[in-house]
Amino acid sequence: MKVIDPHIHMVSRTTDDYLAMACSGIHTVSEPAFWPGFDRSGVASFHDYFNQLTVTEPARAARFKIRHFCWIGMNAKEAENLSLSEEVLTILPQYLDRPTALGIGEVGLNKNSRNEIKVLERQVALAAERGELLLIHTPHLEDKLKGTRIIIELLRNEPRISPERVLIDHAEEHTIGMIRDYGAWFGMTLYPDSKGSPARAVDAVEIFGPQRLCINSSADWSVSDPLATLKTANEMRRRGYHEDLISTIFYHNPKEFLGQCPKFSVA
């Protein structure tokens, strides 16, 4: 089985994880820029991090024959710091020009605050100016429904953004409908003790269908599983689904969305 994980934070994972993924069929990944578990002290830390995403991590993945792509952006949590965000926004273009950077992400909202919205507006405008793909984070702890509504309204106000070039991630049953109505792709995240389980993700496939759906592990430094996509595929087999549909969700769908960036290719 061939799987693309469209959202995984490999800088937080071990070489054992890379080996297990490669042995299991995950040969292509995309890694969004995110909050590392602590607030960074200055723009120099973002330079180091974006270099890690665009230079170090692709080389580390290549040792295991895994193709590594990334997203560049100011994450929602640290966007609360406006002065730092202003500095980070000025350095984004030089890293977006790197050969494995697919677009701007993951950017979005954490607490639906005014500062977060202001920084998101700037990054959506940058995506429009440069013709970049967008990977959007929706809130986990605050009101996800309200945050998703704000994000979609903000995107609708930027007519240069095509919905089919946007993936709105961490979607749940109560937000999927509005994302689909907008015309964007929606991501479902699998976590062992929060967000969605494999069974819950397959339930969503049965309710909403596989169109414009990308299921991801979002595996990071917290409790998470880099093989979660494969376990969800196995849950589909257990329920009797054909391999063609499983391949659509875990390979062809992410390939179609990510392939809108000409830099992307599969291993």
Side-chain angles (χ1 to χ4, degrees):
M1 180 182 181
K2 295 168 65 177
V3 171
I4 299 170
D5 194 331
H7 185 151
I8 186 167
H9 300 287
M10 293 308 300
V11 299
S12 304
R13 309 303 306 192
T14 66
T15 51
D16 282 351
D17 289 332
Y18 268 125
L19 179 61
M21 292 163 64
C23 290
S24 302
I26 303 174
H27 292 154
T28 305
V29 300
S30 82
E31 174 160 8
F34 82 141
W35 182 65
F38 58 92
D39 291 346
R40 282 163 278 216
S41 58
V43 69
S45 297
F46 282 86
H47 275 293
D48 292 340
Y49 177 50
F50 295 152
N51 270 309
Q52 184 181 16
L53 287 178
T54 56
V55 178
T56 308
E57 208 57 39
R60 199 164 73 104
R63 293 173 55 195
F64 300 89
K65 301 299 181 185
I66 292 177
R67 192 159 294 179
H68 180 283
F69 297 90
C70 69
W71 300 75
I72 300 296
M74 184 57 171
N75 66 85
K77 194 169 189 310
E78 289 174 291
E80 192 59 35
N81 184 336
L82 279 182
S83 60
L84 176 60
S85 296
E86 288 292 335
E87 292 183 89
V88 173
L89 290 177
T90 64
I91 70 171
L92 296 185
Q94 64 182 285
Y95 294 100
L96 288 167
D97 287 339
R98 298 262 173 112
T100 57
L102 300 178
I104 296 178
E106 62 184 297
V107 299
L109 300 179
N110 179 46
K111 294 184 176 179
N112 303 330
S113 73
R114 290 183 179 181
N115 286 358
E116 293 170 10
I117 293 170
K118 185 174 182 178
V119 175
L120 177 58
E121 286 175 335
R122 291 279 301 279
Q123 295 190 94
V124 168
L126 180 62
E129 291 164 8
R130 292 177 53 94
E132 302 281 0
L133 296 177
L134 271 169
L135 197 161
I136 304 286
H137 169 99
T138 54
H140 295 312
L141 302 179
E142 296 297 323
D143 189 331
K144 184 181 287 287
L145 184 64
K146 178 182 177 182
T148 305
R149 282 175 175 156
I150 293 171
I151 288 165
I152 291 176
E153 182 179 354
L154 190 155
L155 291 168
R156 288 188 190 280
N157 288 335
E158 178 45 86
R160 296 174 294 176
I161 295 292
S162 301
E164 66 271 17
R165 291 177 60 79
V166 178
L167 191 156
I168 300 179
D169 212 344
H170 313 313
E172 295 181 355
E173 291 82 352
H174 62 306
T175 62
I176 292 173
M178 70 172 72
I179 296 171
R180 286 167 56 94
D181 289 345
Y182 167 61
W185 290 72
F186 66 102
M188 294 198 70
T189 299
L190 307 162
Y191 265 4
D193 59 359
S194 64
K195 302 178 187 173
S197 65
R200 184 178 172 188
V202 179
D203 287 347
V205 171
E206 293 173 348
I207 295 170
F208 298 100
Q211 292 79 24
R212 302 201 309 270
L213 166 62
C214 288
I215 295 179
N216 61 80
S217 72
S218 191
D220 56 18
W221 42 262
S222 189
V223 178
S224 51
D225 181 359
L227 303 182
T229 51
L230 297 165
K231 293 173 182 175
T232 306
N234 197 55
E235 172 65 13
M236 291 188 70
R237 290 190 191 93
R238 192 187 69 79
R239 297 191 191 188
Y241 286 100
H242 195 276
E243 289 295 325
D244 287 349
L245 178 59
I246 297 172
S247 184
T248 292
I249 292 172
F250 295 99
Y251 181 75
H252 293 289
N253 276 4
K255 181 182 177 184
E256 181 179 346
F257 174 71
L258 300 173
Q260 294 180 88
C261 176
K263 300 176 188 176
F264 180 78
S265 61
V266 293

